[in-house]
């Protein structure tokens, strides 16, 4: 029944429901760190604010995300969902022509990458 609901229930909706109902419950464990729903919600709010206010990101603009598999990826994805921005997920292990093709196919207006992800496209 959830799939037929209009508007559809999104992963962001489910996350926000859990964040309200059980804010101190662990959501992520990464190395020695544990992040609760509240932690992730707060961090994604800060990221959304920075993307919106400092970079002028507006709803509907596609953002390519070139980040490694770590917690930052989760709150970046949530921040973009909160702003209404589609996210093009780029594999951070891809380089060269494959990376260039992925970037062109994404048609993103912004690429978010960590300092360690300085791949070349050509």
């Amino acid at each position: 029944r959830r799939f037929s609901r209009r508007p559809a229930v999104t992963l962001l909706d489910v996350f926000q429901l859990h964040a309200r109902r059980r804010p101190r419950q662990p959501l992520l464990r990464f190395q020695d760190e544990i992040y609760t729903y509240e932690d992730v919600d707060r961090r994604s709010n800060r990221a959304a604010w920075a993307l919106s206010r400092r970079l002028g990101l507006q709803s509907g603009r596609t953002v390519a995300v070139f980040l490694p598999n770590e917690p930052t990826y989760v709150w970046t994805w949530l921040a973009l969902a909160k702003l209404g921005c589609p996210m093009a997920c780029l594999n951070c292990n891809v380089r060269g022509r494959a990376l260039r093709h992925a970037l062109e196919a994404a048609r993103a207006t912004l690429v978010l990458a960590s300092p360690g992800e300085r791949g070349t496209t050509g």
Side-chain angles (χ1 to χ4, degrees):
R1 290 193 320 213
R2 282 187 173 180
F3 292 120
S4 63
R5 237 178 84 185
R6 298 286 182 244
V9 176
T10 66
L11 288 175
L12 177 60
D13 296 329
V14 173
F15 168 79
Q16 289 177 322
L17 176 67
H18 286 286
R20 279 192 308 274
R21 288 187 177 170
R22 41 182 93 84
R24 289 180 181 80
Q25 181 176 333
L27 173 62
L28 297 172
R29 171 184 239 138
F30 183 75
Q31 297 174 350
D32 294 333
E33 296 288 322
I34 294 176
Y35 300 91
T36 65
Y37 280 93
E38 184 177 51
D39 296 330
V40 173
D41 192 37
R42 208 176 287 133
R43 289 170 190 252
S44 66
N45 287 340
R46 276 189 249 147
W49 183 89
L51 291 167
S52 173
R53 299 288 186 241
R54 296 192 181 216
L55 297 179
L57 190 60
Q58 297 173 351
S59 179
R61 290 180 60 193
T62 301
V63 177
V65 176
F66 191 60
L67 297 172
N69 187 15
E70 58 186 35
T72 304
Y73 191 96
V74 175
W75 51 79
T76 299
W77 170 75
L78 286 166
L80 292 171
K82 289 176 178 183
L83 292 173
C85 296
M87 180 171 130
C89 306
L90 302 179
N91 183 334
C92 66
N93 295 310
V94 173
R95 299 290 189 265
R97 288 190 306 190
L99 177 57
R100 184 175 359 166
H101 172 74
L103 285 166
E104 289 170 0
R107 302 179 116 190
T109 57
L110 177 68
V111 176
L112 296 178
S114 68
E117 301 305 324
R118 293 186 181 171
T120 59
T121 60

